[in-house]
Amino acid sequence: ASTIASLVANGAKTLNVSGDAKVTLTAQTLGALTDVVVTNTAGVSLGTDLVTGVTFTGGAGADAVSIGSTTKAITMGAGDDTVTTSTGLVGTGGSVDAGSGIDTIVMTGAQAATAGGSATFNSKFTNFEELTVTAGSAAAINLAGVNNVATVNTSGQTGILALSGFVSGGTINLTGATGGGDVQAII
């Protein structure tokens, strides 16, 4: 397995990741990048948000990417993948398909509340089984609008996190201090 603290390759247009060992880029600066293609069987983790015009094609391993309002297709592939979104939205032409495996989308409570109330989120973000809500203030989230995720993970909430639309047998994982917040599951 390899961890690279900072990859700077501003002229690279395509990033190909192959092999059978995990590759972690803590941060990457790839100003001309248009495509990431992963055939690695152990997965790749990209620490910096992909530029909105980058296409990502994941492999069989557990891949992890961070995105903004992407305008391209993000296809995670097989494996237990993680997508962290800084906006909770995609741009025109953008989509995120988590593929097979137990896949997690990471966003703030406010972003998840907006996603859950949107008629379009589930048409742009597909195949996610878990939602990780980053620590934050109060939010009311309709899980039916977030791919009907069966598992919600959260820690350090500072306000009430109200969850509705929980599937039968769903799971809430609370880790760390709640920060004075609370979680309410409304079935």
Side-chain angles (χ1 to χ4, degrees), residues 87-116:
T87 62
L89 304 168
V90 294
T92 302
S95 63
V96 182
D97 182 350
S100 59
I102 306 298
D103 304 303
T104 304
I105 186 159
V106 180
M107 63 177 87
T108 67
Q111 290 165 348
T114 299

PDB file of all heavy atoms in Angstrom, residues 87-116:
ATOM      1  N   THR A  87     -21.023  19.892  -1.687  1.00  0.00           N
ATOM      2  CA  THR A  87     -22.183  20.708  -2.049  1.00  0.00           C
ATOM      3  C   THR A  87     -23.509  19.966  -1.908  1.00  0.00           C
ATOM      4  O   THR A  87     -24.550  20.601  -1.767  1.00  0.00           O
ATOM      5  CB  THR A  87     -22.074  21.203  -3.505  1.00  0.00           C
ATOM      6  OG1 THR A  87     -22.053  20.072  -4.377  1.00  0.00           O
ATOM      7  CG2 THR A  87     -20.831  22.047  -3.706  1.00  0.00           C
ATOM      8  N   GLY A  88     -23.493  18.635  -1.993  1.00  0.00           N
ATOM      9  CA  GLY A  88     -24.734  17.870  -1.972  1.00  0.00           C
ATOM     10  C   GLY A  88     -25.496  17.957  -3.273  1.00  0.00           C
ATOM     11  O   GLY A  88     -26.638  17.504  -3.373  1.00  0.00           O
ATOM     12  N   LEU A  89     -24.872  18.522  -4.292  1.00  0.00           N
ATOM     13  CA  LEU A  89     -25.505  18.719  -5.596  1.00  0.00           C
ATOM     14  C   LEU A  89     -24.541  18.296  -6.703  1.00  0.00           C
ATOM     15  O   LEU A  89     -23.343  18.177  -6.475  1.00  0.00           O
ATOM     16  CB  LEU A  89     -25.845  20.198  -5.808  1.00  0.00           C
ATOM     17  CG  LEU A  89     -26.717  20.878  -4.772  1.00  0.00           C
ATOM     18  CD1 LEU A  89     -26.697  22.401  -4.989  1.00  0.00           C
ATOM     19  CD2 LEU A  89     -28.139  20.354  -4.854  1.00  0.00           C
ATOM     20  N   VAL A  90     -25.064  18.090  -7.899  1.00  0.00           N
ATOM     21  CA  VAL A  90     -24.214  17.957  -9.078  1.00  0.00           C
ATOM     22  C   VAL A  90     -24.537  19.116 -10.014  1.00  0.00           C
ATOM     23  O   VAL A  90     -25.612  19.705  -9.938  1.00  0.00           O
ATOM     24  CB  VAL A  90     -24.426  16.603  -9.810  1.00  0.00           C
ATOM     25  CG1 VAL A  90     -23.968  15.443  -8.953  1.00  0.00           C
ATOM     26  CG2 VAL A  90     -25.861  16.417 -10.259  1.00  0.00           C
ATOM     27  N   GLY A  91     -23.590  19.414 -10.887  1.00  0.00           N
ATOM     28  CA  GLY A  91     -23.828  20.437 -11.892  1.00  0.00           C
ATOM     29  C   GLY A  91     -24.509  19.838 -13.107  1.00  0.00           C
ATOM     30  O   GLY A  91     -24.807  18.640 -13.161  1.00  0.00           O
ATOM     31  N   THR A  92     -24.749  20.647 -14.116  1.00  0.00           N
ATOM     32  CA  THR A  92     -25.382  20.184 -15.350  1.00  0.00           C
ATOM     33  C   THR A  92     -24.557  19.076 -15.976  1.00  0.00           C
ATOM     34  O   THR A  92     -23.365  19.246 -16.218  1.00  0.00           O
ATOM     35  CB  THR A  92     -25.539  21.354 -16.337  1.00  0.00           C
ATOM     36  OG1 THR A  92     -26.320  22.374 -15.715  1.00  0.00           O
ATOM     37  CG2 THR A  92     -26.209  20.905 -17.623  1.00  0.00           C
ATOM     38  N   GLY A  93     -25.178  17.941 -16.225  1.00  0.00           N
ATOM     39  CA  GLY A  93     -24.496  16.799 -16.829  1.00  0.00           C
ATOM     40  C   GLY A  93     -23.849  15.870 -15.819  1.00  0.00           C
ATOM     41  O   GLY A  93     -23.359  14.801 -16.171  1.00  0.00           O
ATOM     42  N   GLY A  94     -23.834  16.234 -14.554  1.00  0.00           N
ATOM     43  CA  GLY A  94     -23.166  15.437 -13.541  1.00  0.00           C
ATOM     44  C   GLY A  94     -24.030  14.324 -12.985  1.00  0.00           C
ATOM     45  O   GLY A  94     -25.253  14.423 -12.952  1.00  0.00           O
ATOM     46  N   SER A  95     -23.387  13.233 -12.553  1.00  0.00           N
ATOM     47  CA  SER A  95     -24.077  12.122 -11.906  1.00  0.00           C
ATOM     48  C   SER A  95     -23.076  11.360 -11.057  1.00  0.00           C
ATOM     49  O   SER A  95     -21.868  11.401 -11.306  1.00  0.00           O
ATOM     50  CB  SER A  95     -24.706  11.186 -12.941  1.00  0.00           C
ATOM     51  OG  SER A  95     -23.697  10.594 -13.745  1.00  0.00           O
ATOM     52  N   VAL A  96     -23.585  10.657 -10.037  1.00  0.00           N
ATOM     53  CA  VAL A  96     -22.740   9.863  -9.157  1.00  0.00           C
ATOM     54  C   VAL A  96     -23.404   8.509  -8.960  1.00  0.00           C
ATOM     55  O   VAL A  96     -24.479   8.417  -8.361  1.00  0.00           O
ATOM     56  CB  VAL A  96     -22.529  10.544  -7.785  1.00  0.00           C
ATOM     57  CG1 VAL A  96     -21.596   9.714  -6.923  1.00  0.00           C
ATOM     58  CG2 VAL A  96     -21.988  11.961  -7.958  1.00  0.00           C
ATOM     59  N   ASP A  97     -22.775   7.449  -9.483  1.00  0.00           N
ATOM     60  CA  ASP A  97     -23.276   6.084  -9.341  1.00  0.00           C
ATOM     61  C   ASP A  97     -22.311   5.324  -8.451  1.00  0.00           C
ATOM     62  O   ASP A  97     -21.167   5.084  -8.824  1.00  0.00           O
ATOM     63  CB  ASP A  97     -23.379   5.414 -10.713  1.00  0.00           C
ATOM     64  CG  ASP A  97     -23.954   4.004 -10.645  1.00  0.00           C
ATOM     65  OD1 ASP A  97     -24.111   3.456  -9.527  1.00  0.00           O
ATOM     66  OD2 ASP A  97     -24.242   3.438 -11.712  1.00  0.00           O
ATOM     67  N   ALA A  98     -22.784   4.949  -7.254  1.00  0.00           N
ATOM     68  CA  ALA A  98     -21.916   4.271  -6.288  1.00  0.00           C
ATOM     69  C   ALA A  98     -21.613   2.828  -6.676  1.00  0.00           C
ATOM     70  O   ALA A  98     -20.676   2.234  -6.152  1.00  0.00           O
ATOM     71  CB  ALA A  98     -22.538   4.323  -4.900  1.00  0.00           C
ATOM     72  N   GLY A  99     -22.382   2.236  -7.577  1.00  0.00           N
ATOM     73  CA  GLY A  99     -22.120   0.875  -8.015  1.00  0.00           C
ATOM     74  C   GLY A  99     -22.514  -0.153  -6.971  1.00  0.00           C
ATOM     75  O   GLY A  99     -23.344   0.099  -6.100  1.00  0.00           O
ATOM     76  N   SER A 100     -21.884  -1.327  -7.042  1.00  0.00           N
ATOM     77  CA  SER A 100     -22.211  -2.398  -6.109  1.00  0.00           C
ATOM     78  C   SER A 100     -21.380  -2.275  -4.842  1.00  0.00           C
ATOM     79  O   SER A 100     -20.441  -1.486  -4.777  1.00  0.00           O
ATOM     80  CB  SER A 100     -21.971  -3.760  -6.772  1.00  0.00           C
ATOM     81  OG  SER A 100     -20.623  -3.879  -7.178  1.00  0.00           O
ATOM     82  N   GLY A 101     -21.715  -3.053  -3.833  1.00  0.00           N
ATOM     83  CA  GLY A 101     -21.038  -2.976  -2.546  1.00  0.00           C
ATOM     84  C   GLY A 101     -21.865  -2.168  -1.564  1.00  0.00           C
ATOM     85  O   GLY A 101     -22.985  -1.736  -1.856  1.00  0.00           O
ATOM     86  N   ILE A 102     -21.334  -1.974  -0.361  1.00  0.00           N
ATOM     87  CA  ILE A 102     -21.976  -1.135   0.659  1.00  0.00           C
ATOM     88  C   ILE A 102     -21.327   0.237   0.564  1.00  0.00           C
ATOM     89  O   ILE A 102     -20.217   0.449   1.037  1.00  0.00           O
ATOM     90  CB  ILE A 102     -21.800  -1.718   2.079  1.00  0.00           C
ATOM     91  CG1 ILE A 102     -22.287  -3.164   2.129  1.00  0.00           C
ATOM     92  CG2 ILE A 102     -22.515  -0.847   3.103  1.00  0.00           C
ATOM     93  CD1 ILE A 102     -23.760  -3.333   1.807  1.00  0.00           C
ATOM     94  N   ASP A 103     -22.029   1.154  -0.073  1.00  0.00           N
ATOM     95  CA  ASP A 103     -21.444   2.450  -0.429  1.00  0.00           C
ATOM     96  C   ASP A 103     -22.000   3.569   0.441  1.00  0.00           C
ATOM     97  O   ASP A 103     -23.179   3.586   0.781  1.00  0.00           O
ATOM     98  CB  ASP A 103     -21.707   2.740  -1.900  1.00  0.00           C
ATOM     99  CG  ASP A 103     -21.182   1.606  -2.786  1.00  0.00           C
ATOM    100  OD1 ASP A 103     -19.984   1.312  -2.695  1.00  0.00           O
ATOM    101  OD2 ASP A 103     -21.981   1.021  -3.530  1.00  0.00           O
ATOM    102  N   THR A 104     -21.134   4.528   0.765  1.00  0.00           N
ATOM    103  CA  THR A 104     -21.463   5.595   1.705  1.00  0.00           C
ATOM    104  C   THR A 104     -21.348   6.953   1.044  1.00  0.00           C
ATOM    105  O   THR A 104     -20.370   7.234   0.345  1.00  0.00           O
ATOM    106  CB  THR A 104     -20.501   5.547   2.917  1.00  0.00           C
ATOM    107  OG1 THR A 104     -20.568   4.250   3.514  1.00  0.00           O
ATOM    108  CG2 THR A 104     -20.848   6.609   3.943  1.00  0.00           C
ATOM    109  N   ILE A 105     -22.351   7.799   1.286  1.00  0.00           N
ATOM    110  CA  ILE A 105     -22.256   9.199   0.889  1.00  0.00           C
ATOM    111  C   ILE A 105     -22.094  10.026   2.159  1.00  0.00           C
ATOM    112  O   ILE A 105     -22.773   9.797   3.152  1.00  0.00           O
ATOM    113  CB  ILE A 105     -23.465   9.672   0.050  1.00  0.00           C
ATOM    114  CG1 ILE A 105     -23.215  11.096  -0.452  1.00  0.00           C
ATOM    115  CG2 ILE A 105     -24.772   9.544   0.802  1.00  0.00           C
ATOM    116  CD1 ILE A 105     -24.040  11.501  -1.641  1.00  0.00           C
ATOM    117  N   VAL A 106     -21.140  10.965   2.127  1.00  0.00           N
ATOM    118  CA  VAL A 106     -20.814  11.794   3.280  1.00  0.00           C
ATOM    119  C   VAL A 106     -21.187  13.240   2.959  1.00  0.00           C
ATOM    120  O   VAL A 106     -20.760  13.783   1.930  1.00  0.00           O
ATOM    121  CB  VAL A 106     -19.304  11.705   3.612  1.00  0.00           C
ATOM    122  CG1 VAL A 106     -18.972  12.568   4.821  1.00  0.00           C
ATOM    123  CG2 VAL A 106     -18.876  10.260   3.825  1.00  0.00           C
ATOM    124  N   MET A 107     -22.004  13.847   3.839  1.00  0.00           N
ATOM    125  CA  MET A 107     -22.394  15.240   3.646  1.00  0.00           C
ATOM    126  C   MET A 107     -22.837  15.840   4.972  1.00  0.00           C
ATOM    127  O   MET A 107     -22.997  15.121   5.959  1.00  0.00           O
ATOM    128  CB  MET A 107     -23.488  15.358   2.584  1.00  0.00           C
ATOM    129  CG  MET A 107     -24.793  14.686   2.921  1.00  0.00           C
ATOM    130  SD  MET A 107     -26.090  14.945   1.658  1.00  0.00           S
ATOM    131  CE  MET A 107     -25.755  13.619   0.544  1.00  0.00           C
ATOM    132  N   THR A 108     -23.031  17.136   4.980  1.00  0.00           N
ATOM    133  CA  THR A 108     -23.518  17.804   6.187  1.00  0.00           C
ATOM    134  C   THR A 108     -25.007  17.514   6.360  1.00  0.00           C
ATOM    135  O   THR A 108     -25.695  17.100   5.409  1.00  0.00           O
ATOM    136  CB  THR A 108     -23.320  19.326   6.109  1.00  0.00           C
ATOM    137  OG1 THR A 108     -24.175  19.854   5.078  1.00  0.00           O
ATOM    138  CG2 THR A 108     -21.869  19.697   5.833  1.00  0.00           C
ATOM    139  N   GLY A 109     -25.508  17.774   7.566  1.00  0.00           N
ATOM    140  CA  GLY A 109     -26.932  17.612   7.811  1.00  0.00           C
ATOM    141  C   GLY A 109     -27.772  18.517   6.932  1.00  0.00           C
ATOM    142  O   GLY A 109     -28.816  18.112   6.416  1.00  0.00           O
ATOM    143  N   ALA A 110     -27.316  19.747   6.732  1.00  0.00           N
ATOM    144  CA  ALA A 110     -28.054  20.693   5.885  1.00  0.00           C
ATOM    145  C   ALA A 110     -28.118  20.192   4.442  1.00  0.00           C
ATOM    146  O   ALA A 110     -29.159  20.277   3.783  1.00  0.00           O
ATOM    147  CB  ALA A 110     -27.410  22.071   5.952  1.00  0.00           C
ATOM    148  N   GLN A 111     -27.003  19.659   3.937  1.00  0.00           N
ATOM    149  CA  GLN A 111     -26.996  19.123   2.571  1.00  0.00           C
ATOM    150  C   GLN A 111     -27.914  17.912   2.463  1.00  0.00           C
ATOM    151  O   GLN A 111     -28.657  17.757   1.485  1.00  0.00           O
ATOM    152  CB  GLN A 111     -25.576  18.744   2.162  1.00  0.00           C
ATOM    153  CG  GLN A 111     -24.663  19.929   1.953  1.00  0.00           C
ATOM    154  CD  GLN A 111     -23.197  19.544   1.896  1.00  0.00           C
ATOM    155  OE1 GLN A 111     -22.813  18.415   2.228  1.00  0.00           O
ATOM    156  NE2 GLN A 111     -22.359  20.490   1.507  1.00  0.00           N
ATOM    157  N   ALA A 112     -27.883  17.036   3.470  1.00  0.00           N
ATOM    158  CA  ALA A 112     -28.734  15.847   3.451  1.00  0.00           C
ATOM    159  C   ALA A 112     -30.208  16.229   3.550  1.00  0.00           C
ATOM    160  O   ALA A 112     -31.062  15.591   2.918  1.00  0.00           O
ATOM    161  CB  ALA A 112     -28.346  14.906   4.587  1.00  0.00           C
ATOM    162  N   ALA A 113     -30.524  17.272   4.319  1.00  0.00           N
ATOM    163  CA  ALA A 113     -31.901  17.738   4.421  1.00  0.00           C
ATOM    164  C   ALA A 113     -32.388  18.264   3.081  1.00  0.00           C
ATOM    165  O   ALA A 113     -33.512  17.983   2.653  1.00  0.00           O
ATOM    166  CB  ALA A 113     -32.015  18.809   5.490  1.00  0.00           C
ATOM    167  N   THR A 114     -31.531  19.007   2.393  1.00  0.00           N
ATOM    168  CA  THR A 114     -31.881  19.513   1.063  1.00  0.00           C
ATOM    169  C   THR A 114     -32.052  18.359   0.082  1.00  0.00           C
ATOM    170  O   THR A 114     -33.004  18.327  -0.701  1.00  0.00           O
ATOM    171  CB  THR A 114     -30.798  20.486   0.553  1.00  0.00           C
ATOM    172  OG1 THR A 114     -30.715  21.589   1.457  1.00  0.00           O
ATOM    173  CG2 THR A 114     -31.122  20.994  -0.843  1.00  0.00           C
ATOM    174  N   ALA A 115     -31.126  17.391   0.127  1.00  0.00           N
ATOM    175  CA  ALA A 115     -31.206  16.223  -0.760  1.00  0.00           C
ATOM    176  C   ALA A 115     -32.494  15.451  -0.519  1.00  0.00           C
ATOM    177  O   ALA A 115     -33.196  15.064  -1.463  1.00  0.00           O
ATOM    178  CB  ALA A 115     -30.004  15.317  -0.537  1.00  0.00           C
ATOM    179  N   GLY A 116     -32.824  15.229   0.759  1.00  0.00           N
ATOM    180  CA  GLY A 116     -34.021  14.467   1.100  1.00  0.00           C
ATOM    181  C   GLY A 116     -35.304  15.136   0.676  1.00  0.00           C
ATOM    182  O   GLY A 116     -36.316  14.468   0.451  1.00  0.00           O
TER     183      GLY A 116
END
